[in-house]
Amino acid sequence: EEVALTRVGQRLYDLIFKPYTFKQWAKYPAELGPEVLSRIPVRNDRDGRYFSDPHQALPKGGYTSIFERMLDDPKITVVTNTDYFEVKDRLKCDRVYYTGPIDSYFADLGWPKLEYRSLSFERVVVEDTPGYFQQAAVVNHPQHVDAENGKEVDYTRIVEYKHMLNQTSDSTIYFIERSKDGGEPYHPVPNKE
């Protein structure tokens, strides 16, 4: 809580940070570690990008292509569809990069299960929309009630991928994202445990 208050002041904290944090984590900022709100960029300019890096882009050929090229080396063995815990004692290598569920890895060491938040995605297709549904690819919705129509806003963001590749189409597709308990574990809750 203190991190956000010192960075943006009471008004923006009350309007944006506090309600959005509760929607995302089902906890108020005071209940979470300071790293949660300190990672959010605060700008004093009109740069609408999330990161401040001077060069930002999607990799040519996509992320799959990058990893295929990185792993295409005789010194690297990639094993898929294998339970790490069934083979870990037989591995003879200098380094292992475990990419499974983090809870499974630490449970094997006797650690307690982490608290998680999950996400649900509602796909919306809008026909006869040559432009865009919204002004940017990702629009966050920190408020609980829409100021224009008084309706509840139970989602955290809307993502319209058409923006990202400057696509032109007579239709558009966007996804409404909601944070929730249960389901596939997306985000470990950054709490003291």
Side-chain angles (χ1 to χ4, degrees):
E1 181 177 54
E2 186 178 320
V3 169
L5 285 168
T6 58
R7 294 176 76 200
V8 300
Q10 189 73 48
R11 181 171 167 79
L12 289 180
Y13 172 78
D14 289 338
L15 289 171
I16 299 171
F17 286 80
K18 186 176 180 181
Y20 189 81
T21 301
F22 189 80
K23 274 172 114 175
Q24 182 71 30
W25 299 105
K27 295 184 184 308
Y28 287 106
E31 300 173 83
L32 297 168
E35 67 277 3
V36 174
L37 294 178
S38 62
R39 71 179 182 82
I40 299 170
V42 176
R43 302 216 189 285
N44 295 321
D45 57 28
R46 295 197 177 270
D47 187 349
R49 301 171 304 159
Y50 189 82
F51 299 105
S52 299
D53 302 328
H55 304 287
Q56 299 178 44
L58 294 173
K60 184 178 180 180
Y63 288 100
T64 300
S65 176
I66 280 182
F67 283 96
E68 286 173 344
R69 288 194 315 269
M70 283 193 311
L71 297 172
D72 185 21
D73 185 293
K75 295 179 184 175
I76 298 174
T77 302
V78 177
V79 179
T80 59
N81 300 317
T82 302
D83 187 332
Y84 166 77
F85 301 101
E86 290 178 7
V87 300
K88 69 176 186 153
D89 295 330
R90 298 190 310 252
L91 297 174
K92 295 182 183 358
C93 50
D94 292 335
R95 292 191 181 118
V96 173
Y97 296 94
Y98 175 78
T99 59
I102 194 74
D103 268 355
S104 298
Y105 182 81
F106 286 114
D108 189 60
L109 300 174
W111 291 32
K113 186 170 179 60
L114 295 172
E115 178 183 1
Y116 278 95
R117 292 291 283 171
S118 187
L119 299 173
S120 69
F121 302 93
E122 178 186 343
R123 181 179 184 255
V124 179
V125 179
V126 183
E127 304 291 339
D128 300 320
T129 307
Y132 297 107
F133 168 75
Q134 59 189 17
Q135 294 179 348
V138 180
V139 177
N140 291 328
H141 293 268
Q143 72 278 17
H144 287 283
V145 177
D146 188 308
E148 292 180 17
N149 62 27
K151 292 183 179 178
E152 181 186 9
V153 179
D154 66 343
Y155 46 89
T156 52
R157 67 181 56 92
I158 296 177
V159 181
E160 186 178 16
Y161 291 95
K162 186 175 177 180
H163 283 274
M164 294 181 189
L165 300 172
N166 295 319
Q167 297 172 338
T168 56
S169 170
D170 289 335
S171 302
T172 193
I173 301 171
Y174 60 89
F175 290 84
I176 299 171
E177 184 178 313
R178 291 177 176 87
S179 183
K180 64 179 188 169
D181 287 321
E184 186 174 344
Y186 277 85
H187 305 289
V189 176
N191 54 29
K192 289 178 181 155
E193 287 96 40

